[in-house]
Amino acid sequence: MELSFQIHYRTNWGEEVRVTLSDGQLFPLRSYDGYTWQGDLMLDPKHSSQEIVYRYLIYRDGFCVRKEWDGVKRRLALNPAYHRLILADAWRDRPADSFCYSAAFTKTEVAYLTGTEATYERAILLKVRCPRLRKGNWRLAVSGNQAQVGHWDIQQAKLMQPCGPNEWYILLDAARITLPFEYKFLAWNVRENKLGEWIEGNNRRLDALPPQTGDLLVLADDEVHFPLPLWKAAGVAIPVFSLRSESSWGVGDFGDLKKMVDWAVLTGQRIIQILPINDTTMTHTWMDSYPYNSISIYAFHPMYIDLNQLPRLQNAELQAHFEWERMRLNALPAVDYEAVNRLKLDYLQALFEQDRDETQASKEFQQFTEENEDWLMPYAAFCYLRDLYGTADFRTWPELSVYDRDIVRAKRDEDETFCHAMNFHYFLQYILHVQLLSASNYARQRGVLLKGDIPIGISRNSVEAWSEPNYFNMNGQAGAPPDPFSAKGQNWGFPTYRWDVMQQDGYRWWKRRLRKMAEYFDAYRIDHLLGFFRIWEIPSHSVEGLLGQFVPSLPLSPKEIEGFGLPFRKEAFTKPYITDEILKHTFGKLADEVKRTFLCQVSHREYALLPQFNTQRKVESYFQEKKDAESRVLREGLFSLINNVLFIADAKFPDLYHPRIAIQSDSAYKRLSPAEQQAFDTLYTNYYYHRHEDFWRNEAMRKLPELIDSTRMLVCGEDLGMIPNCVPGVMEELRILSLEIQRMPKHLGETFGNPQTYPYRSVCSISTHDMSTFRGWWKENKEQTHRYYEQMLGGWGEAPEEAPGWLCDSVVQQHLMGNSMLCILSWQDWMSIDEEVRNPDADAERINVPSNPRHYWRYRMHMTIEQLLRCNRLNNRIRDLIRQSGREA
């Protein structure tokens, strides 16, 4: 069979169009004008596949510089009756409504293959993409000026067949067509057997037919639209651990997730958004409650197993003991992380000993372990060694501190204890897989999307850091620069990525991670999307975030610094500036003790830190056991001295420099002359807000298209914080939904965001897990609250001290009526509209405090989901609000 490729694409000088086939072939096309590209390829007679899948690429100097959108694959069945396929194609850019082709909108990747159900001597295959039809029994049809398509008689229009996500086709007999062939697509109501509406735009026209017997002309690049209102939906955000049902074991689980789906259906919501659910067990203490610090990007946390779905223990006395403990823990107002995990793991260990032979013998278990062996084996070995040696820091293990797959496999085969422990972790992950998949399918069957969360980082004491260290820079710490919620920045402690290494294998690590997630979720939130443009990398010797630098970035040379009018003085600008005045201001009566213990004098008015105290990690270590108030003052003061530098040397190129972020309120800046301050301000503004825009855009476009196209999940980005100007353009080009928070407006001069002006491709919310809820925020700053009351709600007089239910209702309604595609509100903010149902203590509803790296993540619903389902007034109000906003399921 011959494949004849034809595509119109205006290339730049030096570029060429190539075709890649699914079997790995890369086939160059030829052009005489740089616009019309053609090429013929004979398929090997031994070609075993019954289909072809192909894609167009743009190459320059031997490198791929552009790829067409692959959201709907170019996929055709091979019918041996046709000797030549004429593929008359057009380049596919990512369409504005590409989200309609995601798993959130279409449930089947490929429903049918096309071109096999009929044979004509010469044929035309029309394939067309239709992102949206009206709800109900609607099909795409075609009518035109030929008998085959009804001679423009609407009642004789021909129905098309589905062949992929929002894709339809019809096969026509070319011998029965006279030119010109005009046609147009329409929506047909199958149930009522009548026309719904025509597509927007003019008639299509075909002026050439396949010339030879055995030719199949394929026209596959049309996309049609109907005049439909924008699709919108509402949903709820809540961590799985925060769920509470009457049968919970002191923490939310995957069984409770199904009950939450029931509440979503009852109230007309279509999305449930959760936080990361990966295993975070490092110390078996409450410090492991931080869901963004997982030990595996694949393994789920065992505490999410719904024990009620598992067999009961045969030991009745032991079962009764577990039930008593379950009831005690489930009555607590918040999660007792340590007690819950001890209880659940003890139960699961007893169940494993009781039923392991039966479980491990099942075909489903064996299939799961075989398909997931690549990550299961290192994960299970890691868990065993962590518990054996009492630490997740694998660098300190006396054996296997460096991962070796062959040694792990041999140890599993030879060491019975090791093998038994690994099998237990296989057992847990199998149960988690089955239960989450069940909850996911339960949601999908009821029209509810589960939206997951992809953390930007991995723990430095994780399976991936142990088994795949080549992908990570262990000398850096990922974090975030200062913002209104965290004045000293955030240090998450994660290693940063070696993107150059990841690029070499086509970002395989990320694609595997996303594809695993796609087994369970239809949409996902990319935590800290800005990290794909650049990450705030903090040196390993720092505790706080102020001494970080963006990576990658373009640091400044001394010559460039001086070009802004600031004479560069290396020692003065890169070493902490410490004087008697600074010490007195920072430490007060403790200043003399600081001089004696931590400093040495280097001039008549300046001091330097002693070598044993010249980094924040050294200071932290010194005060490790000192918990008194005075020690805290000394510790924080020394941290501020270390931060007091004007420039920071680049981590890779120490002769290049970055201006220290947020330095303008510190004495290292204030010591400058007015002229020097003005020069520094100009340099600072240029560096942080202009210098990197094209550079960071190119960085993001090198990574993100590959990653978001690796699955069919709907992609939402968390794009809050210090946002480079290039970010909105990249998100627009890649159709990534932005996050809009009213308290964090993105436009200069705005105090509060206006939901009516949010971009359509966005997710709006009143608050996130990193903020106080709306009711909590209302009490934080009376002046700010009053301004919101006047500007956003049109209030008169003084704002209420507490946010009453009617006011919260207005804010919820304001967001639902906004322009965002998705309005996903925290469960606490939904509850706020009913004063009889909501938690009386607004402060108890906060999930996380980002400025506290040791925050205990333990928030739980104050009522059970069963009680929630019976709150008729509240549920009816939520459903009415959603219906009025046009977001109802």
Side-chain angles (χ1 to χ4, degrees), residues 574-585:
T574 62
K575 303 293 183 184
Y577 178 56
I578 307 171
T579 65
D580 283 310
E581 293 80 2
I582 293 168
L583 293 172
K584 185 176 180 180
H585 175 78

Side-chain angles (χ1 to χ4, degrees), residues 70 284 506 531 781 814 889:
D70 200 32
H284 293 287
N781 184 319
Q814 182 185 85

Side-chain angles (χ1 to χ4, degrees), residues 369 372-384 403-410 412-413 418 422 425-426 463 466-467:
T369 56
N372 296 276
E373 181 76 3
D374 281 350
W375 67 264
L376 264 176
M377 188 168 72
Y379 165 75
F382 182 94
C383 291
Y384 170 76
Y403 178 73
D404 188 308
R405 191 174 190 83
D406 293 335
I407 293 177
V408 169
R409 182 177 281 113
R412 181 187 62 183
D413 295 339
F418 187 76
M422 289 188 67
H425 293 291
Y426 278 40
V463 178
W466 179 49
S467 61

Side-chain angles (χ1 to χ4, degrees), residues 366-629:
Q366 292 173 5
Q367 180 181 355
F368 170 77
T369 56
E370 182 179 339
E371 292 177 352
N372 296 276
E373 181 76 3
D374 281 350
W375 67 264
L376 264 176
M377 188 168 72
Y379 165 75
F382 182 94
C383 291
Y384 170 76
L385 294 166
R386 172 201 63 202
D387 295 344
L388 177 66
Y389 299 123
T391 178
D393 185 354
F394 52 85
R395 301 159 196 84
T396 66
W397 294 346
E399 65 169 339
L400 280 170
S401 59
V402 176
Y403 178 73
D404 188 308
R405 191 174 190 83
D406 293 335
I407 293 177
V408 169
R409 182 177 281 113
K411 190 173 178 65
R412 181 187 62 183
D413 295 339
E414 298 165 3
D415 187 328
E416 185 176 343
T417 302
F418 187 76
C419 179
H420 185 80
M422 289 188 67
N423 287 338
F424 175 58
H425 293 291
Y426 278 40
F427 170 76
L428 297 181
Q429 291 304 313
Y430 170 67
I431 295 171
L432 287 158
H433 162 75
V434 169
Q435 291 192 356
L436 180 56
L437 191 60
S438 175
S440 177
N441 290 334
Y442 185 85
R444 285 167 175 156
Q445 290 161 8
R446 286 155 180 77
V448 175
L449 310 178
L450 290 188
K451 181 183 175 187
D453 195 330
I454 291 272
I456 184 61
I458 64 144
S459 170
R460 61 184 58 249
N461 295 326
S462 67
V463 178
E464 285 71 39
W466 179 49
S467 61
E468 302 176 285
N470 56 306
Y471 287 129
F472 312 105
N473 171 28
M474 294 297 178
N475 294 321
Q477 305 172 98
D483 61 31
F485 302 95
S486 187
K488 296 179 181 178
Q490 299 176 45
N491 185 350
W492 304 324
F494 308 138
T496 52
Y497 293 113
R498 296 178 62 192
W499 287 110
D500 55 338
V501 175
M502 290 184 161
Q503 185 180 14
Q504 290 172 11
D505 62 11
Y507 306 103
R508 177 174 173 268
W509 186 89
W510 273 99
K511 290 177 181 178
R512 283 186 302 159
R513 182 183 189 184
L514 290 166
R515 286 166 184 159
K516 182 63 181 174
M517 192 176 190
E519 294 180 23
Y520 314 100
F521 297 99
D522 295 316
Y524 67 100
R525 166 188 178 271
I526 302 179
D527 172 50
H528 196 63
L529 178 74
L530 306 183
F532 291 88
F533 293 76
R534 78 294 184 271
I535 196 73
W536 188 247
E537 184 176 279
I538 303 159
S540 58
H541 57 69
S542 288
V543 175
E544 297 174 335
L546 288 173
L547 295 180
Q549 55 192 249
F550 284 122
V551 175
S553 62
L554 304 170
L556 297 158
S557 69
K559 185 176 180 179
E560 285 181 287
I561 294 171
E562 293 183 345
F564 284 92
L566 179 65
F568 185 71
R569 304 186 293 276
K570 180 177 178 180
E571 286 296 314
F573 287 174
T574 62
K575 303 293 183 184
Y577 178 56
I578 307 171
T579 65
D580 283 310
E581 293 80 2
I582 293 168
L583 293 172
K584 185 176 180 180
H585 175 78
T586 305
F587 298 101
K589 63 182 181 180
L590 297 174
D592 288 338
E593 181 184 342
V594 171
K595 290 185 215 176
R596 288 193 303 269
T597 309
F598 303 101
L599 305 177
C600 62
Q601 193 160 3
V602 293
S603 73
H604 72 282
R605 65 182 304 271
E606 291 189 31
Y607 298 83
L609 290 147
L610 293 170
Q612 60 267 39
F613 301 113
N614 63 0
T615 73
Q616 291 181 348
R617 289 293 177 199
K618 292 176 181 179
V619 172
E620 180 184 51
S621 178
Y622 178 80
F623 287 101
Q624 190 73 40
E625 305 301 325
K626 300 176 175 65
K627 306 298 182 184
D628 58 283

Side-chain angles (χ1 to χ4, degrees), residues 127-175:
K127 291 181 70 178
V128 61
R129 303 189 304 279
C130 178
R132 289 181 62 205
L133 285 168
R134 293 191 185 277
K135 295 179 184 176
N137 295 295
W138 293 88
R139 291 269 295 276
L140 201 64
V142 61
S143 182
N145 65 353
Q146 309 289 318
Q148 290 184 78
V149 288
H151 270 310
W152 294 118
D153 181 349
I154 298 304
Q155 295 303 316
Q156 299 300 316
K158 297 301 179 184
L159 293 178
M160 303 181 75
Q161 301 298 319
C163 59
N166 299 328
E167 193 172 27
W168 302 79
Y169 80 97
I170 188 170
L171 191 68
L172 302 174
D173 184 357

